[in-house]
Amino acid sequence: LNPKWFVECLGKILTLPGREGFEKREMWTLLRQKGILVQPLYVAVWKECEGIDPEDMIQLLVNFHLAAEVQTDEFGQRRSKQFFVPAVLPTGDPSSALPSAYQLRASPLHITFGTGYVIPGFFTRLVTSMAESSQCSLYFRDGIFRNRVTFKFADINRVTLTQLSEAIQVDM
């Protein structure tokens, strides 16, 4: 596997803006604003990458916990696969307060690390692992960011994970 080729293929979806205005605008908007990558988009873009099937490429992202297969009501074609890819989301201000309608049921919990900072990539892997769980779903109403993701659980109303520089804050 040629690393340069692999990074270029990933970049067609994850980092390279510009194609949004020309094709599949609704799907690009869903990806950039809510982190949801839908099958018709990644198939169309990654079919240009010779040597790997688009389904194999998305499976690599899932295997490395950079994406998680989810089901949302955000995309009209229910039969199409959907993947949560937090790395494409904009970064939110971690010091901003949670929405006023958000009522905490407990004091925030902080997950800290002996290093004194959150290990790079840990937050992405944590939220994609949670998104894969059948017991929770992504909650978009309060906004969703690269560093702040809210989940709705069946028995708990909402749980918000926020990456701070030195810890991960969990609000319930």
Side-chain angles (χ1 to χ4, degrees):
L1 188 63
N2 180 336
K4 183 178 185 279
W5 169 85
F6 183 69
V7 169
E8 286 175 2
C9 286
L10 282 180
K12 291 177 184 284
I13 291 282
L14 301 183
T15 60
L16 299 177
R19 297 178 72 163
E20 290 92 333
F22 301 106
E23 56 188 63
K24 302 185 184 307
R25 180 174 287 160
E26 174 191 349
M27 293 180 217
W28 281 108
T29 300
L30 184 61
L31 176 63
R32 299 291 185 225
Q33 292 180 357
K34 298 190 177 180
I36 302 299
L37 176 59
V38 294
Q39 189 177 29
L41 180 60
Y42 71 77
V43 167
V45 172
W46 284 335
K47 73 179 178 185
E48 299 170 6
C49 296
E50 294 182 17
I52 192 165
D53 181 84
E55 295 299 332
D56 292 337
M57 183 69 103
I58 195 72
Q59 196 56 48
L60 279 172
L61 293 179
V62 170
N63 287 344
F64 287 105
H65 297 283
L66 300 174
E69 188 167 359
V70 295
Q71 280 299 321
T72 72
D73 294 329
E74 301 298 316
F75 186 61
Q77 299 176 16
R78 298 285 296 163
R79 294 184 348 188
S80 293
K81 292 181 183 177
Q82 300 177 41
F83 293 87
F84 177 54
V85 186
V88 300
L89 291 168
T91 301
D93 180 2
S95 64
S96 66
L98 292 171
S100 59
Y102 196 94
Q103 304 219 348
L104 295 178
R105 295 178 5 181
S107 295
L109 168 74
H110 289 89
I111 301 169
T112 59
F113 300 85
T115 59
Y117 58 89
V118 177
I119 299 163
F122 182 82
F123 186 78
T124 297
R125 287 171 176 80
L126 176 62
V127 296
T128 56
S129 294
M130 289 183 67
E132 289 175 335
S133 172
S134 61
Q135 297 180 1
C136 68
S137 60
L138 292 164
Y139 186 80
F140 297 104
R141 192 172 304 151
D142 297 334
I144 190 163
F145 302 96
R146 178 187 306 231
N147 60 334
R148 178 182 285 160
V149 179
T150 301
F151 295 95
K152 185 168 174 76
F153 285 82
D155 56 341
I156 301 173
N157 193 14
R158 287 178 274 170
V159 173
T160 299
L161 296 154
T162 305
Q163 179 179 339
L164 308 172
S165 59
E166 70 286 347
I168 294 173
Q169 180 171 310
V170 181
D171 295 294
M172 290 191 248

